[in-house]
Amino acid sequence: MKRIRVVVALLFLTAFLTAPVMADELIIYPAKGQSQEQQQKDKFECYTWGKGETGFDPMEIPKATAPPPQKQTQKSSAIKGAAGGAAVGAVGGAIAGDAGKGAAAGAAVGGLLGAAKRQDQIRREEEAQKKWEEEQVAQYTQKRNTYNRAYSACLEARGYAVK
């Protein structure tokens, strides 16, 4: 189950991150009349230089760090809560004179509290997952922008107009 979540998260990130890449494509104009062959040579050399300077390769599939660990959700939280509540309720009911009614009331309250606790844990895990995804996108975008600046600087130094 955990492996499936990681795969789904990576697929999501790959799809999400490739859209900005397409939108960030630079427009390169050969301002000094460079031939098509010279343009390809310059672009490759600037790609290599930009990659070396920034440590970012725009041709590589984005890699994500490990997602936040998922805590083992207690599927039996409601059952455990009900059992604990029943025990407490039985003691309280015995003091009041009817242990059965006390146990039933305690079980109901304990079950509700256990289920609420589990829902809260699931909500926190979902928030952590969303935060992790946003951080991955921000890191990728920052690295891509740094690479684009380096690549553009190289091309501009070789006589190209880059936008």
Side-chain angles (χ1 to χ4, degrees):
M1 183 67 169
K2 186 175 181 181
R3 178 172 269 157
I4 292 172
R5 281 186 155 183
V6 170
V7 170
V8 168
L10 289 174
L11 289 173
F12 167 78
L13 285 172
T14 300
F16 189 72
L17 294 176
T18 54
V21 169
M22 300 301 235
D24 285 348
E25 288 302 316
L26 299 171
I27 306 296
I28 302 164
Y29 178 75
K32 294 185 178 178
Q34 296 92 331
S35 69
Q36 194 71 347
E37 184 178 302
Q38 185 64 43
Q39 290 176 45
Q40 293 306 319
K41 181 179 181 254
D42 289 340
K43 286 179 182 180
F44 179 74
E45 288 175 2
C46 288
Y47 157 77
T48 302
W49 182 82
K51 183 173 72 167
E53 285 296 304
T54 64
F56 178 83
D57 185 352
M59 304 301 278
E60 208 172 86
I61 294 174
K63 294 177 185 153
T65 60
Q70 300 290 321
K71 294 178 183 163
Q72 292 295 334
T73 56
Q74 297 291 332
K75 293 187 181 354
S76 60
S77 291
I79 295 170
K80 285 182 181 178
V88 171
V91 171
I95 293 171
D98 190 349
K101 283 185 180 179
V109 170
L112 288 174
L113 291 176
K117 182 179 176 183
R118 181 167 184 263
Q119 284 303 109
D120 187 50
Q121 181 180 352
I122 290 169
R123 181 190 53 76
R124 283 194 309 270
E125 288 175 359
E126 288 172 351
E127 286 174 358
Q129 180 72 23
K130 183 178 179 185
K131 181 180 177 189
W132 172 78
E133 290 170 0
E134 290 170 353
E135 288 170 356
Q136 294 299 303
V137 170
Q139 288 173 8
Y140 178 86
T141 302
Q142 181 183 17
K143 289 175 184 177
R144 176 68 189 215
N145 289 340
T146 301
Y147 168 83
N148 281 350
R149 286 192 349 258
Y151 182 69
S152 295
C154 178
L155 287 172
E156 287 171 358
R158 292 171 184 245
Y160 295 87
V162 182
K163 298 287 178 196

